[in-house]
Amino acid sequence: MPTRSGPARDRAPSAADRVPSRPSARRTGSARRSAPTAPVDEVVVGTVPVPARLAGGLLVLAAVLAVVALFPTYLVVGGTVVSPARNAGSVLVALLVPVVSAAVGVVLARGAVPKFGLAYAGTAAALSVGPLLIELYRGSSSTSRPAVEVLAGEKVLTSSVEIGAGWVLGVASLAVFVLAGLLAAFAWGRTVMEDGGTLDPVRSALAGAGVLLGVGTVLCLTLPAADVPDRIVTDPSTHMQTVVTSEGPQALLERPGLALLGGLLLAGAIVLCSVVAPSLRPRLATVGALLALAVAVLDAGLTGVRDALSSSELEWTVPGAGLLVAGLGYVLLTVLAWRLRRTPSSERG
């Protein structure tokens, strides 16, 4: 029986003789499952219907009307001419909503990410119905029960009211916003736009934060953002000090008639939109709805700051500061909805 020689038996195997070991299929699958999966957020956009593009055009038209309304006379109240464009700061505050609305309207009219623009238009319309009724009250029946009001930073008494071109253009702008929202609602079900569902795992958290911000915003709106401070009067004979309360501007729910109905509708719309916005699909629709809420609430907060700074008779209030904080909170929610990416649990397992 032949035997191998020693050198041949002791020779180390060469590189060519070595066969790399292959991992088993079980190890490969386990390693693949344990590897982190990058969230996929592919947006699929179908044919954009004509009503959706028309809604974008109406958003642009409403924004243009709102900008033009800043410069003519708004109202003549009790002999005082009121105009929103008192100074550069007033103009900048008043331009916030029109500029954002015009930008979103252009994107929607072009047919890009349509449900983003449709969600913005629908939310903006819901938030415009209340202010539209309040404006109709100011221009038509506010003299039936004269009261102190703050209009564009002016403290006035509504003993007599004459409407100006600025009021007419402002009312037309709000009406066009409402019409754009109606078209957006009509086009929503006919518009195809889907994504990978990367926002789904955090929608409940966004909804909870939205409810808190909505309720907080409504509570802040129930009191004026800028009010007349109380005066302390000292009796010269007794040196006793007493607090004299001065009549200040009316809060959202203190006005009668159409204005009261408008205030209730605005409060309800803020809470309802805050609840519904995080549930909209796809993710960019949630971003659009939250953006509309953010600019509306932030505009209300900045308006209170403007009124307090432009009049020596008014001071900024705690509810006014709360409105500003709520507006910044909505901005934060909008950014989170835009930037958050999470892999759905069905894809992880």
Side-chain angles (χ1 to χ4, degrees), residues 48-149:
V48 181
V50 174
R53 296 180 184 270
L54 289 177
L58 289 177
L59 279 180
V60 176
L61 176 60
V64 171
L65 289 173
V67 172
V68 177
L70 296 177
F71 302 100
T73 299
Y74 170 58
L75 292 172
V76 181
V77 184
T80 302
V81 178
V82 179
S83 177
R86 297 183 61 189
N87 48 51
S90 300
V91 173
L92 288 177
V93 170
L95 284 178
L96 175 62
V97 174
V99 168
V100 176
S101 299
V104 175
V106 169
V107 172
L108 180 56
R110 292 177 54 205
V113 288
K115 285 200 170 180
F116 166 76
L118 292 176
Y120 180 93
T123 305
L127 299 176
S128 298
V129 175
L132 176 60
L133 296 180
I134 293 173
E135 288 298 327
L136 291 176
Y137 166 79
R138 284 174 176 171
S140 60
S141 56
S142 60
T143 57
S144 60
R145 294 172 63 179
V148 174
E149 276 282 13

Side-chain angles (χ1 to χ4, degrees), residues 71-314:
F71 302 100
T73 299
Y74 170 58
L75 292 172
V76 181
V77 184
T80 302
V81 178
V82 179
S83 177
R86 297 183 61 189
N87 48 51
S90 300
V91 173
L92 288 177
V93 170
L95 284 178
L96 175 62
V97 174
V99 168
V100 176
S101 299
V104 175
V106 169
V107 172
L108 180 56
R110 292 177 54 205
V113 288
K115 285 200 170 180
F116 166 76
L118 292 176
Y120 180 93
T123 305
L127 299 176
S128 298
V129 175
L132 176 60
L133 296 180
I134 293 173
E135 288 298 327
L136 291 176
Y137 166 79
R138 284 174 176 171
S140 60
S141 56
S142 60
T143 57
S144 60
R145 294 172 63 179
V148 174
E149 276 282 13
V150 175
L151 304 176
E154 291 277 359
K155 182 185 173 186
V156 293
L157 178 64
T158 58
S159 56
S160 64
V161 175
E162 299 177 13
I163 63 174
W167 180 88
V168 174
L169 291 171
V171 168
S173 172
L174 291 171
V176 175
F177 269 121
V178 174
L179 182 58
L182 294 176
L183 267 180
F186 175 77
W188 182 267
R190 296 166 174 77
T191 304
V192 177
M193 181 177 168
E194 299 294 340
D195 62 9
T198 55
L199 191 65
D200 292 350
V202 295
R203 286 184 185 274
S204 58
L206 290 177
V211 171
L212 291 178
L213 285 175
V215 173
T217 300
V218 172
L219 291 177
C220 291
L221 285 173
T222 56
L223 294 173
D227 204 354
V228 178
D230 296 333
R231 293 183 298 110
I232 299 177
V233 179
T234 303
D235 189 342
S237 58
T238 61
H239 300 286
M240 291 183 61
Q241 293 183 333
T242 56
V243 178
V244 178
T245 302
S246 302
E247 185 179 2
Q250 293 179 311
L252 181 68
L253 302 179
E254 292 179 351
R255 305 179 181 98
L258 276 179
L260 177 59
L261 177 60
L264 292 173
L265 289 176
L266 178 58
I270 290 173
V271 176
L272 180 61
C273 291
S274 299
V275 174
V276 173
S279 65
L280 295 178
R281 299 175 185 274
R283 176 179 58 86
L284 290 177
T286 295
V287 175
L290 289 175
L291 179 62
L293 281 164
V295 295
V297 178
L298 194 59
D299 176 71
L302 291 175
T303 299
V305 178
R306 178 204 66 187
D307 293 344
L309 293 178
S310 59
S311 176
S312 58
E313 300 180 17
L314 301 172

